[in-house]
Amino acid sequence: MNEHLQALRRAAKRAVLTIGCGVVALVAYFSAQGLRYEAGRLEVSYAPVLAPVTICDGRVNPDTGECSGSVVVFEAFTQTNAVCDGRDALVSGVMSKVRSDARYIDGRQQIYFGDPAGRFRRAMFEFEDQQDGTPTNRPPGVQDWGPWRLRGGCVTEFTTWFTSVEHRPWHGFWPLPTVTGPFPLPRATIDQGGSSERR
């Protein structure tokens, strides 16, 4: 009887030890993932993937660096058009990618209705500006984006949307997360016949 009790205690100790090691391993894994994300967020704050650019539409004085013509400023990511297509919102705009070493990670972009600093929920969306078989990584420079179809965007309770995207830097140690927005959503009223009216 005593031997059985001793064996049972040893088995219980091994089980507790195994479970404890598993819990420590899980905590270490998720802590490492959190640290990787924070390192990427910190890198983006000092070396962003998307950033405003200033272009001189004229001559630049080589001594002073002043522009003799008009100066055009492109923001990092802006929405220039938003319309309703039934219940869906079609949004498009202009972006300025400044890091050539940052490659878009396919499938790591999400769009949300709401505000990143407040209440939000994930949106269903389609990139209508991309065809099957075309590369999703954008070259550096100022370029158009969209239209992107945000399903139900014109009738959702939220009045804004934003996007979160990740890029892989040259070193590959962590992803670079970029959040842009919020941007206004167009509003639509649905009549009894099911058609929509743009506003």
Side-chain angles (χ1 to χ4, degrees):
M1 182 74 166
N2 198 14
E3 290 177 15
H4 290 301
L5 191 55
Q6 294 275 347
L8 190 59
R9 285 182 181 159
R10 281 194 299 272
K13 277 185 181 180
R14 281 195 293 269
V16 168
L17 186 60
T18 301
I19 292 170
C21 288
V23 168
V24 168
L26 281 174
V27 168
Y29 173 78
F30 286 112
S31 296
Q33 293 303 314
L35 286 173
R36 286 180 71 235
Y37 182 84
E38 285 303 310
R41 195 178 61 75
L42 188 62
E43 183 175 333
V44 165
S45 67
Y46 288 103
V49 177
L50 307 177
V53 295
T54 303
I55 298 174
C56 174
D57 188 16
R59 294 180 58 101
V60 177
N61 185 322
D63 298 326
T64 63
E66 291 183 16
C67 178
S68 63
S70 60
V71 175
V72 182
V73 177
F74 291 96
E75 294 300 323
F77 193 97
T78 57
Q79 175 177 284
T80 58
N81 194 31
V83 297
C84 292
D85 182 18
R87 300 170 63 87
D88 300 342
L90 292 175
V91 295
S92 55
V94 178
M95 63 181 284
S96 171
K97 184 178 179 183
V98 296
R99 281 188 65 167
S100 61
D101 71 309
R103 297 191 58 79
Y104 172 77
I105 304 174
D106 200 23
R108 296 296 282 272
Q109 180 169 3
Q110 293 298 327
I111 294 178
Y112 301 89
F113 294 137
D115 190 317
R119 200 168 64 88
F120 58 87
R121 74 169 174 84
R122 187 176 288 190
M124 301 287 291
F125 61 93
E126 295 172 23
F127 297 130
E128 295 195 348
D129 56 342
Q130 294 177 358
Q131 302 298 319
D132 289 339
T134 59
T136 54
N137 188 54
R138 293 178 182 268
V142 176
Q143 56 205 281
D144 294 330
W145 59 266
W148 296 349
R149 180 178 294 274
L150 311 184
R151 295 284 181 196
C154 288
V155 293
T156 180
E157 62 180 303
F158 297 96
T159 59
T160 59
W161 70 277
F162 68 96
T163 182
S164 171
V165 64
E166 291 184 3
H167 292 80
R168 180 171 288 109
W170 64 272
H171 53 71
F173 292 139
W174 45 71
L176 304 176
T178 302
V179 175
T180 54
F183 304 102
L185 281 167
R187 301 285 83 197
T189 55
I190 308 297
D191 65 21
Q192 304 239 338
S195 64
S196 68
E197 179 183 320
R198 295 179 184 181
R199 284 208 265 171

